[in-house]
């Protein structure tokens, strides 16, 4: 049994909300030590765990609760002078973002610890969710950091690690894990939607991520295509049937969060030769590709485009083409729509290494090894742009998830080296 209680204070929060109080506790039962398990010689360890606790988040910039002044320069009476004005960020009353976390798990080891299994179910509820939201221009501000609502995450994680071969000359360890997480926003102030920041690529400017009660954080929100008109321009579905395409016709068009993430590590040794490999994969996530939008639909400036646009664009003879009419007017008709939502699932060999342990024990050497390794050498995906492992518009806490905007891709590399331990 473990019990903890902590209190944290942060000047990032408003008066009356600077302190947060975070208790936690855990219980564990090593069932394999019980008398009724003694005859099961193949069982090395079975341990059940349950834990519950509250944690706080300080992941916001300082001074969000203060009236800030920013500086600039202006020409006044033929001189360049410094001016001061109110910041574009509106100060709001902030309190701690707190997360209540329940975890149920089991650790199992079998066959003298050669096979290890760890499984966990978790349920997290976040209150006072902190995020940056856009303000109406009429307010005199552009953004504000606020406690916008509540959110929950629940999921399952399973990890299996096994020594498949274990002998003097041969060893092979294989480890794999799979996790699934289901995210949902459960409460917002007045249940009002919160829009992500506007994305501007000249031919389109609008938000594409949305926070909505009952939906995952940062879902894609936009228009749904409905073929081409008689001039080869993209048309959109009129969901409210008012005869016009307006913001009220936008729908949920994608989810940046994966259904599953997977990892696998293999380590094979024969005498002094070792081969190790690590794979990582995501399944079921979408990417909103501003990269593909700009590359294949920006016809206004004579910019280079993909070859398939030339051979598969709309003409009076090819009305079922993949791409619209390739004119400047066609570029001006585009909206943030499901046209640019792509399956972002991928599997990638993150690292592979072949090494040789040299039997040198002289000159003060404890161990020596030469190796050659490769990073990101193989990626399996249907995503058509540079890299499916992308998040152009912010970190893990940003609303703008799953956007690709000409992100510099993860590079492939090969390394040859030597490791010496004295």
């Amino acid at each position: 049994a473990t019990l903890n209680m902590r209190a944290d204070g942060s000047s990032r929060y408003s008066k009356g909300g600077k302190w947060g109080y975070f208790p936690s506790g855990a219980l564990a039962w090593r069932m394999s030590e019980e008398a009724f398990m003694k005859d099961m010689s193949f069982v090395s360890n079975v341990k059940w765990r349950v834990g519950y606790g509250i944690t706080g988040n300080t992941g916001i910039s300082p001074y969000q609760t203060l009236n800030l002044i920013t500086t600039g320069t202006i020409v006044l009476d033929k001189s360049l002078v410094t001016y001061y004005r109110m910041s574009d960020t509106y100060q709001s009353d902030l309190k701690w973002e707190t997360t209540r976390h329940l975890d149920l798990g089991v650790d199992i080891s079998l066959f003298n610890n050669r096979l290890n299994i760890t499984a966990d179910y978790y349920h997290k509820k976040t209150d006072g969710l902190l995020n940056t939201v856009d303000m109406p221009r009429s307010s005199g501000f552009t953004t504000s950091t606020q406690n916008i609502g509540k959110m929950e995450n629940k999921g399952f994680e399973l990890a299996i690690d096994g020594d498949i071969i274990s002998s003097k000359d041969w060893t092979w360890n294989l480890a794999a894990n799979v996790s699934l997480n289901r995210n949902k926003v459960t409460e917002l102030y007045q249940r009002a939607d919160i829009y992500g920041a506007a994305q501007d690529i000249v031919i389109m400017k609008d938000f594409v991520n949305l926070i909505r009660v009952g939906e995952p954080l940062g879902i894609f929100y936009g228009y749904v295509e409905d073929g081409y008109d008689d001039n080869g321009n993209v048309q959109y579905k009129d969901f409210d049937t008012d005869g016009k395409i307006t913001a009220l016709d936008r729908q949920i068009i994608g989810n940046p969060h994966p259904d599953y993430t997977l990892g696998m590590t293999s380590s094979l040794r024969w005498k002094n030769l070792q081969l190790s490999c690590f794979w990582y994969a995501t399944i079921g996530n979408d990417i909103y590709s501003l990269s593909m939008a700009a590359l294949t639909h920006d016809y206004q400036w004579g910019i280079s485009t993909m070859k398939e646009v030339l051979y598969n664009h709309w003409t009076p003879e090819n009305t079922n083409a993949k791409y619209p009419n390739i004119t400047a007017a066609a570029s001006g008709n585009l909206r943030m729509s499901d046209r640019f939502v792509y399956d972002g699932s991928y599997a990638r060999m993150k690292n592979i290494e072949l090494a040789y342990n040299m039997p040198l024990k002289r000159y003060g050497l404890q161990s020596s090894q030469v190796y050659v390794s490769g990073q990101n050498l193989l990626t399996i995906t249907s995503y058509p742009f540079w890299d499916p492992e992308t998040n152009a518009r912010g970190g893990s806490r940003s609303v703008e998830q799953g956007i690709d905007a000409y992100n510099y891709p993860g590079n492939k590399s090969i390394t040859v080296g030597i490791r010496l331990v004295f």
Side-chain angles (χ1 to χ4, degrees):
T2 303
L3 295 174
N4 290 285
M5 179 64 190
R6 62 179 294 151
D8 290 283
S10 174
S11 59
R12 284 175 167 86
Y13 297 109
S14 302
K15 185 178 180 180
K18 295 183 184 296
W19 283 91
Y21 302 94
F22 309 111
S24 65
L27 291 171
W29 174 36
R30 196 177 300 277
M31 191 174 71
S32 55
E33 295 296 316
E34 302 293 344
F36 61 83
M37 298 286 295
K38 294 300 183 183
D39 294 334
M40 300 180 184
S41 57
F42 66 94
V43 177
S44 306
N45 178 58
V46 177
K47 181 181 179 180
W48 295 91
R49 298 174 279 103
V50 58
Y52 180 84
I54 302 175
T55 58
N57 171 44
T58 58
I60 58 173
S61 301
Y63 315 122
Q64 299 296 302
T65 61
L66 302 179
N67 292 307
L68 299 180
I69 292 177
T70 186
T71 63
T73 55
I74 191 173
V75 176
L76 186 63
D77 193 23
K78 298 182 181 181
S79 298
L80 193 63
V81 298
T82 300
Y83 70 83
Y84 299 87
R85 65 173 177 83
M86 296 297 298
S87 169
D88 291 336
T89 301
Y90 176 74
Q91 70 285 352
S92 57
D93 290 332
L94 294 180
K95 63 178 182 180
W96 279 83
E97 175 186 298
T98 57
T99 298
R100 291 166 170 79
H101 186 168
L102 171 68
D103 185 272
L104 304 172
V106 60
D107 303 315
I108 301 173
S109 297
L110 305 174
F111 312 115
N112 198 25
N113 296 314
R114 288 189 60 178
L115 178 63
N116 300 286
I117 302 169
T118 299
D120 283 275
Y121 167 81
Y122 63 87
H123 192 175
K124 298 193 293 184
K125 292 185 176 182
T126 301
D127 187 12
L129 184 66
L130 289 166
N131 220 303
T132 301
V133 299
D134 290 333
M135 298 285 289
R137 283 288 184 174
S138 58
S139 68
F141 301 92
T142 58
T143 60
S144 176
T145 300
Q146 299 178 11
N147 295 104
I148 62 172
K150 299 180 180 180
M151 180 178 66
E152 71 172 12
N153 286 275
K154 55 184 177 181
F156 179 76
E157 297 177 345
L158 176 66
I160 301 175
D161 183 303
D163 293 324
I164 299 175
I165 300 175
S166 182
S167 65
K168 179 181 178 181
D169 292 335
W170 285 93
T171 61
W172 182 23
N173 176 267
L174 188 63
N177 63 78
V178 59
S179 64
L180 60 95
N181 180 73
R182 299 297 178 260
N183 169 270
K184 183 170 69 172
V185 177
T186 56
E187 184 179 311
L188 291 173
Y189 177 67
Q190 295 183 342
R191 298 184 66 85
D193 292 344
I194 295 177
Y195 307 140
Q199 309 300 319
D200 186 359
I201 59 169
V202 181
I203 57 174
M204 297 187 300
K205 182 179 180 180
D206 203 349
F207 74 91
V208 70
N209 295 96
L210 178 74
I211 302 177
R212 171 173 287 179
V213 173
E215 300 292 343
L217 183 74
I219 53 170
F220 298 145
Y221 193 66
Y223 300 89
V224 178
E225 287 199 13
D226 193 20
Y228 301 119
D229 64 16
D230 293 339
N231 295 316
N233 296 320
V234 177
Q235 296 188 114
Y236 303 95
K237 291 186 178 181
D238 181 15
F239 283 96
D240 65 357
T241 65
D242 65 351
K244 298 178 292 185
I245 301 301
T246 67
L248 298 176
D249 295 309
R250 288 182 289 200
Q251 304 289 314
I252 294 172
I253 56 175
N255 185 352
H257 304 286
D259 295 328
Y260 306 96
T261 60
L262 305 99
M264 186 183 72
T265 301
S266 175
S267 180
L268 178 66
R269 180 191 65 84
W270 176 64
K271 295 186 177 179
N272 291 325
L273 199 63
Q274 296 179 201
L275 177 65
S276 59
C277 184
F278 171 56
W279 284 81
Y280 179 78
T282 69
I283 299 174
N285 58 295
D286 295 319
I287 294 175
Y288 199 88
S289 185
L290 299 177
S291 307
M292 287 296 291
L295 181 66
T296 59
H297 292 76
D298 191 350
Y299 313 134
Q300 302 183 74
W301 313 106
I303 299 172
S304 295
T305 187
M306 295 177 68
K307 182 172 65 175
E308 65 178 52
V309 177
L310 176 63
Y311 294 110
N312 195 9
H313 67 272
W314 184 96
T315 65
E317 297 76 28
N318 185 22
T319 57
N320 294 319
K322 181 177 180 180
Y323 297 98
N325 190 350
I326 51 173
T327 65
S331 292
N333 190 51
L334 291 175
R335 298 172 183 261
M336 295 288 186
S337 72
D338 58 344
R339 169 174 283 266
F340 308 113
V341 177
Y342 293 85
D343 181 9
S345 305
Y346 72 94
R348 169 168 286 171
M349 183 191 291
K350 301 284 283 186
N351 186 75
I352 185 170
E353 180 178 287
L354 180 65
Y356 178 70
N357 295 310
M358 297 180 292
L360 297 178
K361 298 294 184 181
R362 294 185 296 176
Y363 312 114
L365 279 174
Q366 181 179 336
S367 64
S368 56
Q369 184 187 72
V370 293
Y371 67 92
V372 56
S373 66
Q375 291 76 41
N376 303 323
L377 296 185
L378 178 63
T379 301
I380 302 170
T381 184
S382 63
Y383 181 57
F385 206 66
W386 293 337
D387 194 343
E389 192 173 357
T390 180
N391 190 16
R393 293 297 192 240
S396 60
R397 303 193 63 82
S398 171
V399 178
E400 290 80 38
Q401 295 293 307
I403 295 177
D404 184 14
Y406 284 97
N407 272 34
Y408 196 86
N411 60 300
K412 297 179 180 180
S413 63
I414 296 176
T415 305
V416 178
I418 185 169
R419 301 186 181 103
L420 301 176
V421 178
F422 292 92

